[in-house]
Amino acid sequence: MTLQVLPPELLADNKITTQEPQPYWKPSALKDGESEEFRLLGCYETGHAITGWQYASEIQDPKTGDLRFNGYVVTRSHPGSPADIARETDWSKPDRPKIDGSYVKPRRFLAWVATSAARGRLEVLFIEQKSIRDQITEVLQEIEDYTWTDEGLANFSIKISRKGTGLETSYSILPKVRKVPEKVIKEWKTSRDSIWLPNFFEGKDPFDGRATDEKGLPAGGQDKRGSVVAPTVATAAPEQDNTEF
């Protein structure tokens, strides 16, 4: 007869596991003096770049009746003044009370699929800063210098940098020509159909891909996704930095 010396709970695998952070990135994640580099993948036409509006919402707590934060809502067009829009916070007071009659303004955003140089994975850039959107738009209009492959991959990277804090914060974009490595091309071929940014507007996960009907056809018909500068494919390009990224 064999005695069980240890309690069974001690034999179980009780290791604490951590999940990979969600593959979304915002420029506000940068600290003063920091920067990150990305390569844009896909475009508006393929459902990998969208613009829209986001606002913070509130919901009434069923137990206390108080209003509490209920996440963010994404819309294609400006939402106006929805009933669930969150009130502003009075940051000048220690208890941070809400200000009745004053609401957080919806913010326009640009979302784009990209590959991160720092983390080596596909991510969604979620950009709310107008200055960054304007700089990206300006870069994309330089179609002679910053070109795209036939697969819709940028032949260049963009380096997003932050300077300052609080109201003194500013962001800058530095584009750099970089040939697309084969490993990125292969990864994109296997991953592009699993990412569909218009899912944001349906409250769904963009990494769930585009919904289809029982016949395998895209569900919902033609999708109106707002507007953004669509890249133009070009073959000529200046001297390139071939760093693997």
Side-chain angles (χ1 to χ4, degrees):
M1 174 175 153
T2 302
L3 295 175
Q4 183 170 337
V5 179
L6 292 173
E9 289 78 11
L10 293 181
L11 298 175
D13 183 4
N14 291 323
K15 293 182 180 178
I16 297 176
T17 58
T18 57
Q19 295 182 340
E20 180 75 8
Q22 285 295 322
Y24 301 98
W25 186 87
K26 293 185 176 183
S28 57
L30 294 172
K31 296 179 181 179
D32 181 19
E34 290 184 340
S35 62
E36 287 217 24
E37 192 170 2
F38 301 90
R39 184 191 301 275
L40 301 177
L41 308 175
C43 63
Y44 161 74
E45 291 296 335
T46 61
H48 299 112
I50 60 170
T51 57
W53 294 82
Q54 176 177 260
Y55 71 88
S57 68
E58 288 184 333
I59 191 173
Q60 190 174 46
D61 190 304
K63 295 182 179 179
T64 65
D66 296 332
L67 290 173
R68 58 178 175 80
F69 178 66
N70 192 42
Y72 292 92
V73 178
V74 172
T75 60
R76 288 185 176 87
S77 57
H78 193 288
S81 301
D84 64 336
I85 193 168
R87 297 160 296 165
E88 286 190 304
T89 300
D90 188 346
W91 297 101
S92 66
K93 297 180 180 179
D95 57 344
R96 307 288 192 263
K98 294 294 184 178
I99 306 174
D100 290 331
S102 181
Y103 302 97
V104 179
K105 294 181 180 179
R107 301 189 66 178
R108 190 170 180 81
F109 71 86
L110 165 66
W112 207 308
V113 181
T115 183
S116 161
R119 289 166 293 282
R121 67 177 187 181
L122 298 184
E123 298 182 345
V124 173
L125 306 186
F126 201 89
I127 299 171
E128 297 174 295
Q129 295 82 357
K130 184 177 184 300
S131 62
I132 300 179
R133 297 198 307 269
D134 288 347
Q135 291 178 72
I136 290 177
T137 299
E138 185 175 352
V139 169
L140 296 185
Q141 291 176 341
E142 298 292 334
I143 60 175
E144 298 281 333
D145 297 327
Y146 304 112
T147 64
W148 298 74
T149 69
D150 292 334
E151 297 84 8
L153 308 180
N155 279 316
F156 58 92
S157 66
I158 56 171
K159 184 179 181 181
I160 303 177
S161 302
R162 174 175 179 168
K163 182 179 181 180
T165 59
L167 297 177
E168 301 301 318
T169 299
S170 62
Y171 296 91
S172 62
I173 296 290
L174 177 64
K176 189 172 185 178
V177 174
R178 292 184 183 278
K179 183 179 178 180
V180 186
E182 283 299 320
K183 70 174 186 178
V184 174
I185 296 175
K186 291 179 180 178
E187 182 181 14
W188 184 240
K189 286 181 179 179
T190 60
S191 303
R192 60 189 176 191
D193 291 338
S194 65
I195 307 174
W196 181 250
L197 295 192
N199 280 351
F200 270 124
F201 302 129
E202 309 298 332
K204 300 176 182 178
D205 189 342
F207 287 88
D208 284 343
R210 188 176 187 180
T212 58
D213 61 17
E214 64 277 4
K215 297 180 180 179
L217 298 175
Q222 185 175 0
D223 185 23
K224 298 180 180 179
R225 300 187 294 269
S227 60
V228 72
V229 176
T232 301
V233 175
T235 54
E239 185 178 351
Q240 299 177 330
D241 182 332
N242 294 326
T243 303
E244 186 76 3
F245 157 52

